[in-house]
Amino acid sequence: MRHVWVIARKEIQTYFNSPVAYVFLSVFLLVAGWLFSSGLFLRGEATIAPFIQVAPLLFLFFIPAVTMRLFSEELGRGTFEILATLPVRDGEIVLGKFVSATVLLLSALAATLVFPVSLSIAGDLDGGQTFASYVGVFLLGLSYLAMGAFASSVTKREILAFIVGFLFMMVFFLAGKFTQFLPEAAARWVDFIGIDSHLDNIARGVLDSRDLVYFLTLTAFFLHLTTYSLGSRRWR
Amino acid sequence: MIEATALTKVYGAEPAVDGVTFSIQRGEIVGFLGPNGAGKTTTMRMLTGYLPPTAGAATVAGHDVVSGSLEVRKRVGYLPESTPLYPDMSVLEYLNFIGSLRGLSGQSLRAGVERAIESCDLGRVLGKDIGELSKGFRQRVGIAQAIVHDPDLLILDEPTSGLDPSQVVEVRALVSALGKEKTVILSTHILSEVQAVSSRVIIISSGRIVADGTMEDLRRRHAGPGGLKVTVKADESAVRRKITEVPGVSAVRTRLEDGLVRAEVDAAEDLRERVFRLAVSEGWTMLELSQTAPSLEEIFLKLTGGVS
């Protein structure tokens, strides 16, 4: 576990020592704020819902930008060879990197807390629903981060890692939106695979364990795949 | 320290390393020498546990490189080819990072990092970002990260490639100094490097070991016909004719230079005495007579199938 923290700390420093993290955070906040406030005034009620609705779309572009360098950069520079020949397990490397990206995600979400805070000052905000919404968006972010990490582990080109990550997230993003065109039996499955149904539940303030398990499973699955992909040098 | 038995790595259908067997004792400095693409890097990657062998086996300090990979990695310091480092980390941050991942902490981490800094003479650049350093310093940082945990075995892949001559000398001196306490394997495609730092050379060509031994072994075992260099004041055609007649001579090449005849004589044995007597009896004025051994370059090229 110590290795995980050492790697995470180094990655967090790398993020915050370069302008990348700050550009990312400010652009994220700007776009999120704009989409949130324009939705807010259309609705005319004190709710965080507009932010929760745009978050999956926003993440679709922002998360791959965060994760694309995680492994691609190391593979491209060759630094992965040193990392992989230290007495550290591949899984620890993956977890350390994932934790660092999670910290960046949390900072972005923390920055958006100005929305609910200002809402609660201006009007009557449903605290429980807001909290649940944030949990949902965070879990969604975790799943996306894991997909992005996997994409980054398969290529040494960061741009390619961005695109591959984007496509993976896109599949889960769109799945729930096409259910009305599918036959009943398939629609149920596709609806379950997509993020929409799960996020909708959470956004309504319902923290159902099935939805939590869905996101956590998705995260664990892709992190596992990432470890597997890094280890593939051994049998390729 | 290292036992490799029929170590083989196949990429696709091409064997990069093809049944390599060698054994390295504690305290040796061994140079892997071979042209680019001979399989040096792949061999090192298998020894460090980065890549598993397709066939064959290797043990480092008694641990199998596949099943005991973690134990092997603890005992080896490794600098991959072209010294991959993080340009946006400072030297000190980087050494602390590697040391921590090596399982060092607190006092042992401080001591390890300090020793590495001192060995590699990095005191002046500790706070600098690695990306700002010259190639020579970067190389030293690469070596420092490999010795932070004071390993018994150091594996350095082309530690001097891309350096300017004075940096090459520095890095070689550093490697020699480290070799006093540690077993060192370094790869290179430069022959003089092996001569300068290592006691033993393993020449690899097309994935196979073509020679293994000390420099002297190599010279003795693979030296082809030696030769003589003769410079005399005499008639060129007479010199060629007479020397060719000396028993033991297989070929003579002569040329005229500043009124002197320079002859290169191929022979399997030392013919200096016979040629000297010949010159005396013919009344030639002898200015030079020396035995030439084939250079290591020639041996290397012959073994690796290169063209001289």
Side-chain angles (χ1 to χ4, degrees), chain A residues 2-4 6-7 9-11 13-14 17-18 73-75 77-90 97 233-236, chain B residues 9-11 41 45 48-52 70 73-74 76 78-80 84-89 93-94 97-98 100-105 145:
Chain A
R2 209 181 136 250
H3 290 156
V4 173
V6 171
I7 292 173
R9 199 178 49 195
K10 181 237 158 202
E11 293 292 323
Q13 273 171 6
T14 308
N17 278 348
S18 72
E73 194 176 67
E74 301 246 15
L75 293 169
R77 278 189 189 146
T79 45
F80 184 72
E81 195 169 341
I82 291 187
L83 211 51
T85 50
L86 296 172
V88 177
R89 290 168 209 282
D90 288 353
K97 299 236 172 205
R233 66 175 189 277
R234 304 213 174 91
W235 41 259
R236 243 188 336 219
Chain B
K9 180 74 191 179
V10 181
Y11 293 121
T41 297
R45 283 180 168 172
T48 53
Y50 184 65
L51 292 176
L70 221 52
R73 284 185 266 161
K74 277 180 195 164
V76 175
Y78 176 41
L79 174 63
L85 302 168
Y86 304 106
D88 43 14
M89 275 181 116
E93 275 171 359
Y94 180 62
F97 171 65
I98 297 290
S100 304
L101 289 181
R102 285 279 182 198
L104 305 176
S105 62
Q145 70 71 34

Side-chain angles (χ1 to χ4, degrees), chain B residues 20-87:
Chain B
V20 159
T21 300
F22 59 89
S23 142
I24 292 171
Q25 305 307 314
R26 184 172 289 275
E28 278 190 284
I29 305 186
V30 178
F32 277 170
L33 182 64
N36 291 327
K40 297 172 300 219
T41 297
T42 305
T43 305
M44 291 182 148
R45 283 180 168 172
M46 288 191 278
L47 293 179
T48 53
Y50 184 65
L51 292 176
T54 312
T59 60
V60 173
H63 297 279
D64 185 84
V65 291
V66 179
S67 60
S69 172
L70 221 52
E71 290 303 314
V72 170
R73 284 185 266 161
K74 277 180 195 164
R75 287 165 174 78
V76 175
Y78 176 41
L79 174 63
E81 199 174 359
S82 74
T83 319
L85 302 168
Y86 304 106

Side-chain angles (χ1 to χ4, degrees), chain A:
Chain A
M1 259 343 254
R2 209 181 136 250
H3 290 156
V4 173
W5 174 234
V6 171
I7 292 173
R9 199 178 49 195
K10 181 237 158 202
E11 293 292 323
I12 292 166
Q13 273 171 6
T14 308
Y15 274 129
F16 285 94
N17 278 348
S18 72
V20 178
Y22 303 104
V23 171
F24 166 78
L25 288 176
S26 21
V27 174
F28 178 79
L29 200 57
L30 212 67
V31 177
W34 178 59
L35 290 172
F36 166 69
S37 56
S38 56
L40 185 72
F41 289 115
L42 279 174
R43 277 172 178 250
E45 55 179 307
T47 169
I48 196 74
F51 171 58
I52 304 309
Q53 278 158 5
V54 297
L57 184 67
L58 217 54
F59 280 1
L60 206 51
F61 294 92
F62 278 94
I63 301 260
V66 170
T67 54
M68 65 180 186
R69 57 162 288 277
L70 283 180
F71 297 100
S72 301
E73 194 176 67
E74 301 246 15
L75 293 169
R77 278 189 189 146
T79 45
F80 184 72
E81 195 169 341
I82 291 187
L83 211 51
T85 50
L86 296 172
V88 177
R89 290 168 209 282
D90 288 353
E92 293 176 317
I93 301 176
V94 170
L95 221 51
K97 299 236 172 205
F98 178 70
V99 167
S100 74
T102 304
V103 168
L104 199 60
L105 171 69
L106 280 174
S107 345
L109 286 180
T112 65
L113 285 177
V114 287
F115 309 154
V117 167
S118 50
L119 279 181
S120 67
I121 294 167
D124 190 16
L125 185 71
D126 182 341
Q129 192 207 356
T130 306
F131 174 75
S133 299
Y134 265 93
V135 170
V137 170
F138 174 62
L139 288 173
L140 168 73
L142 286 188
S143 320
Y144 274 11
L145 285 176
M147 292 177 207
F150 171 65
S152 183
S153 73
V154 298
T155 172
K156 57 172 82 169
R157 292 166 213 270
E158 291 182 37
I159 294 299
L160 206 58
F162 182 98
I163 295 169
V164 171
F166 179 84
L167 290 177
F168 267 106
M169 295 167 208
M170 190 75 139
V171 168
F172 291 89
F173 175 75
L174 287 180
K177 297 183 169 43
F178 281 102
T179 45
Q180 66 253 46
F181 305 115
L182 294 171
E184 186 73 27
R188 266 190 51 221
W189 282 104
V190 173
D191 196 43
F192 180 79
I193 288 167
I195 55 168
D196 279 13
S197 57
H198 304 282
L199 203 59
D200 286 349
N201 284 343
I202 297 176
R204 272 187 278 122
V206 185
L207 281 180
D208 187 328
S209 62
R210 269 173 303 179
D211 300 319
L212 304 187
V213 165
Y214 164 82
F215 284 117
L216 293 177
T217 305
L218 210 55
T219 308
F221 174 73
F222 274 99
L223 287 183
H224 196 76
L225 219 54
T226 311
T227 311
Y228 194 66
S229 147
L230 288 179
S232 74
R233 66 175 189 277
R234 304 213 174 91
W235 41 259
R236 243 188 336 219

Side-chain angles (χ1 to χ4, degrees), chain B residues 80-147:
Chain B
E81 199 174 359
S82 74
T83 319
L85 302 168
Y86 304 106
D88 43 14
M89 275 181 116
S90 81
V91 173
L92 190 60
E93 275 171 359
Y94 180 62
L95 294 179
N96 275 320
F97 171 65
I98 297 290
S100 304
L101 289 181
R102 285 279 182 198
L104 305 176
S105 62
Q107 187 53 41
S108 68
L109 177 63
R110 253 195 309 279
V113 169
E114 228 158 77
R115 190 169 26 73
I117 288 168
E118 202 174 317
S119 301
C120 300
D121 195 16
L122 290 168
R124 280 175 295 150
V125 296
L126 285 184
K128 276 200 180 166
D129 280 358
I130 294 172
E132 297 170 14
L133 298 179
S134 70
K135 265 198 138 176
F137 265 114
R138 245 178 282 174
Q139 205 68 24
R140 286 198 247 164
V141 174
I143 294 174
Q145 70 71 34
I147 59 171

